[in-house]
Amino acid sequence: MEPFLKKFFPEVYRKMKEESTISNYCKFDSQLLTAFTSLLYITGLVTSFFASSVTRAFGRRLSIFAGGAAFLAGGVVGGAAVNVYMLILGRVLLGIGIGFANQSVPLYLSEMAPARYRGAINNGFSLSIAIGVLFANVLNFSTEKIKAGWGWRVSLAMAVVPASILTLGTIFLPDTPNSLIQRNSNNRGKAKLTLQRIRGTTDVEKEFQDLITASTISKTIDHPFQKIFQRKYRPQLVMSIAIPFFQQMTGINVVSFYEPVLFRTVGLGESASLLTAVVTGLVGAFSTIIAMIVVDRVGRRALFMIGGVQMFITQMLVGGILAAKLGDHGGLNKGYAYLVLVLISIYAAGFGWSWGPVGWLIPSEIFQLEIRSAGQSITVAVSFLFIFAVAQTFSSMLCYLKSGIFFFFGGWVAVMTGFVYLLLPETKNMPIEKMEKVWKEHWFWKRFVEDRKEERNVDGSVATRSSF
């Protein structure tokens, strides 16, 4: 929004309005402006490691509550900002909230969900993000119409609404049976009652015993961040790094964060550029609903592959159109501008039913209980590290690579699609406490996963020994 840029980023506003000699691709090249976006995620990265200890020691519910409270404070400070320092403080508080919420919410959903519905329920996390993005874009489009120039305050302050729902709603949530047992063996009775309640039946003995077994193993682990680097956890460690890295290298956050900038670059006005974000937000939310419906039927791998091909083709086409039709000055004609919008919407749909929801689902379901909080923290940290890197460098990349930025991310989409085809096993319908089986049966990863053999001690008790 121009009043926002004029107040906090006057140099960007001046280049946008006055200097016609500056390339279309370079008008928004400002490290301070990108820091406003990216600082959110570097804060989330640092917070996620602290959040891991909170989640493990005090439960998933308390960690979600802490995230909600930080969101609430960030919304208040951002909406009341009178200078850029106060604006950035608000972003830091929001980043703390993201660190806690992204660490704990996917774990909470995966642990509470029955195996046959886990994909759909966990994808509710991504659906809610997509709906949040859509509402935010509609809000921005609406508040831009406020002629007095303070619509940006409403946009930033409205973060307190979902933050209040999250913070107050957490009070009514039960903690997960996994977390109750892991924290205190005296909680087994409460954990069993919770499991019966969320499954809607008293016949939960088999699943309950699986939870106890997993908890017993996890309590032998004093340092989960050291444990996850052992050879037998190599597949999970690789996926906890590779999947969030690839998720960010799809280029989705270039679209999510800077879509209005992109469309102002190609010649659309302020209001029309904000409206494009509403359109792709609708597409993203709808495609995530499709993912929820089909992920436990079609499987994770198939959605990754379909979405990967779709994103690659559309990125190549957008890059080609900009290379051929958009120079350093002037803009695209409206026909080509709206063709770019259609292609980016198709791209957003591809992400919405593949790397968006499934990229969060896979890491949340593949870790054994003893390394689960550590593994999720690594996933969140890697995700935030590369969100920060992409967000902070985007305006400079756009300035120097120009239309080639779409070829850059398209190349990464091709690489990640090949990675999934070769190295990611299918995990649909596999109980979360027995997920180790999928690695033992995979052509590559089976060499890393130990084969447990039961033997008898002299006193007749069972001893478990490992061989590689």
Side-chain angles (χ1 to χ4, degrees), residues 107-221:
L107 288 185
Y108 186 92
L109 295 174
S110 285
E111 290 182 347
M112 294 293 262
R116 65 185 181 277
Y117 300 128
R118 188 175 60 247
I121 290 175
N122 192 279
N123 281 358
F125 175 71
S126 294
L127 175 63
S128 297
I129 291 175
I131 292 172
V133 169
L134 174 60
F135 274 107
N137 289 330
V138 170
L139 180 65
N140 287 338
F141 178 70
S142 302
T143 58
E144 183 268 335
K145 307 294 185 186
I146 298 175
K147 300 303 181 183
W150 46 263
W152 60 268
R153 288 195 183 277
V154 179
S155 290
L156 294 180
M158 283 295 286
V160 303
V161 176
S164 299
I165 295 171
L166 181 63
T167 307
L168 297 175
T170 306
I171 297 171
F172 301 97
L173 290 179
D175 218 333
T176 69
N178 312 60
S179 179
L180 289 168
I181 296 172
Q182 184 184 36
R183 282 151 48 205
N184 191 334
S185 58
N186 293 330
N187 286 337
R188 288 186 179 183
K190 183 178 180 181
K192 188 171 185 178
L193 288 174
T194 301
L195 188 61
Q196 290 173 341
R197 178 184 173 191
I198 62 177
R199 296 292 181 261
T201 178
T202 57
D203 184 19
V204 296
E205 191 60 34
K206 185 176 184 302
E207 183 178 1
F208 183 63
Q209 290 304 319
D210 286 341
L211 298 183
I212 292 175
T213 300
S215 176
T216 301
I217 295 172
S218 75
K219 288 180 179 178
T220 66
I221 310 301

Side-chain angles (χ1 to χ4, degrees), residues 292-311:
M292 291 181 66
I293 295 171
V294 304
V295 67
D296 289 312
R297 302 175 189 173
V298 174
R300 285 67 161 147
R301 277 169 49 87
L303 290 180
F304 271 141
M305 301 298 291
I306 294 168
V309 172
Q310 187 173 336
M311 287 188 290

Side-chain angles (χ1 to χ4, degrees), residues 228-403:
I228 199 172
F229 284 93
Q230 292 183 1
R231 179 182 172 87
K232 66 179 180 178
Y233 299 118
R234 192 66 47 78
Q236 294 92 329
L237 177 63
V238 169
M239 294 301 165
S240 72
I241 296 171
I243 288 179
F245 167 73
F246 285 140
Q247 187 184 54
Q248 300 316 313
M249 297 310 290
T250 60
I252 187 61
N253 283 319
V254 169
V255 174
S256 297
F257 300 159
Y258 300 113
E259 186 174 3
V261 170
L262 285 171
F263 280 98
R264 296 213 71 174
T265 297
V266 302
L268 295 184
E270 179 181 353
S271 183
S273 296
L274 290 171
L275 183 59
T276 62
V278 176
V279 173
T280 53
L282 279 168
V283 171
F286 181 72
S287 58
T288 305
I289 292 172
I290 293 175
M292 291 181 66
I293 295 171
V294 304
V295 67
D296 289 312
R297 302 175 189 173
V298 174
R300 285 67 161 147
R301 277 169 49 87
L303 290 180
F304 271 141
M305 301 298 291
I306 294 168
V309 172
Q310 187 173 336
M311 287 188 290
F312 175 78
I313 293 173
T314 52
Q315 283 176 314
M316 293 299 105
L317 290 174
V318 170
I321 291 171
L322 295 185
K325 299 296 181 179
L326 181 66
D328 283 333
H329 305 288
L332 292 176
N333 66 49
K334 286 199 173 180
Y336 280 112
Y338 288 117
L339 176 57
V340 169
L341 174 58
V342 170
L343 290 171
I344 286 182
S345 296
I346 296 172
Y347 161 84
F351 181 85
W353 55 52
S354 64
W355 282 92
V358 184
W360 283 110
L361 169 61
I362 292 291
S364 73
E365 67 182 4
I366 62 174
F367 300 113
Q368 289 93 319
L369 183 60
E370 64 266 25
I371 59 167
R372 193 168 294 159
S373 62
Q376 185 68 12
S377 283
I378 292 173
T379 297
V380 173
V382 171
S383 180
F384 288 169
L385 175 62
F386 286 97
I387 292 176
F388 169 77
V390 170
Q392 188 63 36
T393 60
F394 166 72
S395 62
S396 296
M397 288 174 66
L398 182 64
C399 183
Y400 290 105
L401 293 178
K402 301 183 180 180
S403 60

Side-chain angles (χ1 to χ4, degrees), residues 51 63-64 66-68 71 96-106 125 166 380:
S63 192
I64 297 172
F71 281 134
I96 293 171
I98 284 180
F100 273 98
N102 280 266
Q103 206 282 332
S104 52
V105 172
F125 175 71
L166 181 63
V380 173

